[in-house]
Amino acid sequence: MRVLVTGGAGFIGSHVVDALIAQGHEVVVVDDLSSGKEENLSPACRFYRLDICSPDLERIFREEKIEFVNHHAAQIDVRRSVASPEEDARVNIQGLLNLLANCLRFGVRGVVFASSGGVVYGEPDELPVKETHPKGPLSPYGVSKLAAEYYLFYFARVHGLPYVALRYGNVYGPRQDPHGEAGVVAIFGRKMLRGETPTIYGNGEQLRDYVYIEDVVRANILATEKLLNKAGLAFAGSIDDFAYNIGTGRGTSVNELFQLLKRATGYEGAAVHRPERAGELRRIYLDAEKAARELGWQPQVGLEEGLLRTVEYLREGAVEGRKI
Ligand SMILES: NC(=O)c1ccc[n+]([C@@H]2O[C@H](COP(=O)([O-])OP(=O)(O)OC[C@H]3O[C@@H](n4cnc5c(N)ncnc54)[C@H](O)[C@@H]3O)[C@@H](O)[C@H]2O)c1
């Protein structure tokens, strides 16, 4: 099948590209390289350096005969979204609408959308948080991710375009960008390998759900299969019916993460503490029971193992002299 992966030069998208190619699909990538890197791109994909908001997207759909879309391109930086909600909405909402118009025009069979369980719920009342928990995004980025789910819902219900939204926890692993939601792993890991002191904001007891990239990629493959089989897609009454939390169900504090990374990197120093940053959630971790039941997805790589693999990747970068 001919699959378009938007954001395929980025952290998560590039791993999804690799997995789709390994499954025998033909993959086309659209990415403007604003945060993605050409070196992440599989040599087996066809790459277009393009903004997803561009009218040229139509030509790519037509010429490449796109049949399925995996949408990972986004403005992903929470603080940038606060500084410029307009730019966040331009990419995350207008870009999505451009993409969806083309999906309809060219009869695309389904869309997998990268949403965020870390931001659409806001500060949850109950943990681990289920898909049906009330939504209360606390940043423009969270608003745009949630709005994107509503647009997808509308396109599905009114125009018959099938989709699945995967609400990721904090995704970490090789190729990860320090600006993303699990940026702390890349930032701490890099600093500790260089012998520099990492900074912990607040008391370090903030809880997050760290999910390893390989598990996230498998969720994308399972969601693709579900859309192609069209199994269980008929009775959807709200965005939550189309959404799956992708997380471990376990909250890990920044302090705990720091200790685990100390072990993985061999760093022996302490961390510096700075005042807590405004607008940061206190605790969030995700109940992924629905993904287990309906997609057959469960996380398989534990945090310790995943961190070891990530540090190994960062260490190799150091040895080869690439910027880490
Ligand atoms: N990393 C996480 O923990 C996490 C958690 C929840 C959701 N997500 C979502 O997963 C997706 C991928 O995130 P990531 O962590 O891999 O980030 P990333 O920055 O590595 O990937 C995003 C990619 O999109 C590209 N891009 C940005 N704006 C674009 C535009 N206008 N046109 C074309 N391409 C554009 C970037 O160049 C980059 O390659 C995003 O949608 C993000 O919101 C990530």
Side-chain angles (χ1 to χ4, degrees), residues 47-324:
F47 172 54
Y48 294 87
R49 183 172 185 174
L50 190 76
D51 187 328
I52 51 166
C53 300
S54 164
D56 291 346
L57 198 62
E58 179 178 359
R59 183 176 51 81
I60 294 168
F61 269 82
R62 183 179 327 103
E63 288 176 5
E64 293 287 358
K65 301 188 169 47
I66 301 300
E67 298 172 82
F68 195 91
V69 169
N70 181 290
H71 183 36
H72 273 80
Q75 189 304 111
I76 63 155
D77 189 325
V78 173
R79 263 168 285 167
R80 268 180 65 186
S81 82
V82 173
S84 176
E86 298 85 353
E87 175 57 15
D88 182 88
R90 188 190 72 81
V91 178
N92 294 359
I93 295 181
Q94 287 184 32
L96 173 86
L97 292 176
N98 191 28
L99 195 68
L100 295 182
N102 283 297
C103 287
L104 283 193
R105 200 170 289 141
F106 295 98
V108 159
R109 294 167 67 186
V111 178
V112 174
F113 172 63
S115 185
S116 170
V119 298
V120 297
Y121 304 107
E123 188 77 59
D125 302 325
E126 278 174 37
L127 288 164
V129 70
K130 286 190 193 323
E131 286 83 356
T132 48
H133 187 284
K135 314 300 178 291
L138 295 173
S139 65
Y141 169 71
V143 173
S144 68
K145 282 283 157 187
L146 185 57
E149 287 198 33
Y150 279 109
Y151 277 115
L152 282 156
F153 180 82
Y154 155 72
F155 274 81
R157 291 304 305 267
V158 177
H159 298 291
L161 175 64
Y163 83 98
V164 162
L166 299 174
R167 294 182 187 155
Y168 303 151
N170 290 35
V171 188
Y172 71 99
R175 301 182 195 156
Q176 142 174 35
D177 191 303
H179 303 295
E181 288 172 58
V184 63
V185 173
I187 295 167
F188 278 21
R190 281 167 204 210
K191 283 207 160 201
M192 287 158 126
L193 283 174
R194 292 192 193 119
E196 296 168 7
T197 310
T199 304
I200 294 178
Y201 294 93
N203 64 7
E205 289 305 305
Q206 313 88 307
L207 298 181
R208 295 290 181 274
D209 192 335
Y210 294 95
V211 57
Y212 191 63
I213 182 66
E214 200 177 285
D215 288 324
V216 169
V217 168
R218 210 175 52 262
N220 276 268
I221 298 300
L222 291 167
T224 305
E225 285 166 4
K226 185 178 174 74
L227 283 166
L228 293 176
N229 297 336
K230 295 210 159 109
L233 292 171
F235 305 106
S238 88
I239 55 166
D240 300 332
D241 295 318
F242 291 95
Y244 295 92
N245 283 339
I246 299 298
T248 65
R250 180 168 168 261
T252 301
S253 71
V254 176
N255 291 330
E256 200 183 330
L257 193 71
F258 174 66
Q259 292 304 332
L260 289 169
L261 279 168
K262 262 181 106 163
R263 237 179 286 156
T265 58
Y267 177 78
E268 287 176 351
V272 283
H273 285 263
R274 293 265 157 76
E276 146 178 71
R277 286 184 296 199
E280 226 191 308
L281 299 189
R282 280 187 306 117
R283 310 176 300 161
I284 179 121
Y285 45 96
L286 308 173
D287 183 334
E289 181 49 39
K290 186 178 175 226
R293 223 173 35 243
E294 295 183 20
L295 297 179
W297 181 86
Q298 267 170 337
Q300 289 174 357
V301 181
L303 185 56
E304 225 158 313
E305 170 64 21
L307 289 177
L308 279 174
R309 292 194 206 173
T310 309
V311 166
E312 208 41 53
Y313 168 82
L314 294 173
R315 214 190 286 276
E316 278 167 23
V319 171
E320 286 161 21
R322 277 194 278 121
K323 191 170 164 280
I324 60 166

